[in-house]
Amino acid sequence: MRTLVRDILKSESEVGDILAQGWVRTRRDSKAFSFIELNDGSCLANVQVIADATIPGYEESVLKIQTGASVSIKGKLVASSGGKQKWEIHATEVEVLGHSHDDFPLQKKGHSMEFLRSIAHLRPRANLFGAVFRVRSRMAYAIHQFFQERDFIYVHTPIITASDCEGAGEMFRVTTLNGEQISAGKDEEDFFGKKTYLTVSGQLEGETFACALSNIYTFGPTFRAENSHTSRHASEFWMIEPEIAFCDLDADMQLAEDLVQYLVSDALEHCAEDLAFFGKFVDKGLFERLEFVKSRAFERVSYTEAVEILEKSGKKFEFPVKYGHNLQSEHERFLTEEHFKCPVTVYNYPKEIKPFYMRLNDDDKTVAAMDLLVPGIGEIVGGSQREERLDLLKANMAKHDLNEEDYSWYVDLRKYGTVPHAGFGLGFERLLMFVTGVANIRDVIPFPRVPGSAEF
Ligand code: 4AD
Ligand code: MG
């Protein structure tokens, strides 16, 4: 039976017969034997294999192994005499399963991210990406754990939808009509009998379920056709969206802060080896930041106060700060990196700059919205308390030029047993950027889709 490298390296004792399989990182030969560095992706580290020149077929198999080849190795696990590791494998049999051609592009030296991005089939074999995607997997697990421990119900909201949740019109259309039919506006002849899109958020559908099952969450892909060429925007990204009935903005903010803290703690506990790699090669301040975030209460500040802080900062921003305008990423980063020096939740934004579903505050000027900002990135969570009052929701929809008929199913929630409720969306990739220190969103997505690029 095959043993994964991560288990081999954690072994408590020497093992008589062991089968290891993986891809060769390097081979070095001396007179009497060869050293093979074997990696199988189960952890960052390689296991060292020593293949004695006397093993059967040494010249035809071992001496032909090139970087990237896949091999199957039988041998004994013995305590390593020198080296960094406790264990090494003394091979008794080496079988090459797949040779690697001379033009194998991953060499021992480091490669630029741009280069690695361009070779999809080999990218996950680079140390950095292996580490990123192991952390990604663990964080997905931890997210389910967080919500399941708190009795939230996981709801699968649709990927194809007819509604524009954020009202920003940044949606990819899904259609089987041809160009002519589209120009002629024959939407009723389309596959679903109307215009449909890839979802930008599962929130509206999530609310429907929260207003029946109380505490729910969604976790799935979302799509935005916004032409943003930044290191923090992707056209396809994953979002975690809890929705909680009988809940106000305070409890909503608390849940978002708890979630981020929980995920940081979980990563520190379960992804130590990979995080150490990021701390060394990607972001020297990573551990300090994560340890800090894990142990400290986050700051909270109202939008109005945040604008005052920014105005008084004396800092020259590219985009001027003005009450009633959206905070730009440079403003968000100033607040969290320079002013508070810690994650900060900004709440109660002017109603004019927020979507139709947010709850109007008693001041009649602001809505119960919140954005959680973290150093290095800015916004990773956006959420709000929802407008549960029928008349106010309808008025707000009219202001946003929404067709009430299209959203009647959503409005109905306010007609039949409406409740105060709230929720938020955590951008999964932004969370991963925060936890790993990786600076570009493309490098934390297995197959990134951004404007102008949908490779592989
Ligand atoms: O702030 P947003 O647009 O909020 C919503 O979609 C709400 N419907 C969520 C809710 O209340 N249920 O997006 C939420 C988060 C952002 O804070 C950000 O982390 C991430 O989603 N996000 C993106 N991540 C990557 N690429 C993009 N283009 C993103 N747009 C938003
Ligand atoms: Mg937002």
Side-chain angles (χ1 to χ4, degrees), residues 35 50-51 66 104 117-118 130 143 174 187 239 254 285 310 320 422 439:
F35 292 108
I50 297 175
Q66 289 188 296
F104 181 75
R117 273 184 216 132
S118 69
I143 282 159
V174 175
D187 299 335
M239 213 184 343
Q254 191 61 52
L310 290 162

Side-chain angles (χ1 to χ4, degrees), residues 321-362:
V321 182
K322 205 167 155 217
Y323 185 94
H325 287 232
N326 262 318
L327 295 182
Q328 299 292 328
S329 143
E330 55 174 339
H331 307 144
E332 295 177 344
R333 293 187 58 175
F334 174 83
L335 290 171
T336 172
E337 286 164 28
E338 294 183 47
H339 187 82
F340 290 108
K341 297 189 167 60
C342 112
V344 52
T345 310
V346 182
Y347 59 91
N348 289 351
Y349 284 73
K351 62 181 178 186
E352 291 80 11
I353 56 173
K354 288 293 181 185
F356 76 95
Y357 54 72
M358 293 192 178
R359 189 179 198 277
L360 187 65
N361 286 321
D362 293 342

Side-chain angles (χ1 to χ4, degrees), residues 166 224 332 354 357-358 370-371 379 381-383 425 430:
E166 294 307 293
R224 298 206 182 170
E332 295 177 344
K354 288 293 181 185
Y357 54 72
M358 293 192 178
M370 62 101 161
D371 278 0
E379 177 190 343
V381 168
R430 296 219 183 144

Side-chain angles (χ1 to χ4, degrees), residues 214-273:
S214 293
N215 296 346
I216 67 99
Y217 70 106
T218 74
F219 184 5
T222 50
F223 308 85
R224 298 206 182 170
E226 58 187 321
N227 200 15
S228 297
H229 298 257
T230 80
S231 58
R232 299 167 298 110
H233 287 90
S235 313
E236 177 178 318
F237 62 97
W238 283 56
M239 213 184 343
I240 298 97
E241 295 184 275
E243 192 68 38
I244 315 114
F246 311 99
C247 178
D248 63 11
L249 186 68
D250 266 338
D252 194 37
M253 292 195 280
Q254 191 61 52
L255 186 73
E257 292 162 358
D258 289 350
L259 174 61
V260 171
Q261 239 163 3
Y262 181 95
L263 295 175
V264 166
S265 299
D266 187 274
L268 284 166
E269 189 181 339
H270 294 282
C271 307
E273 188 194 24

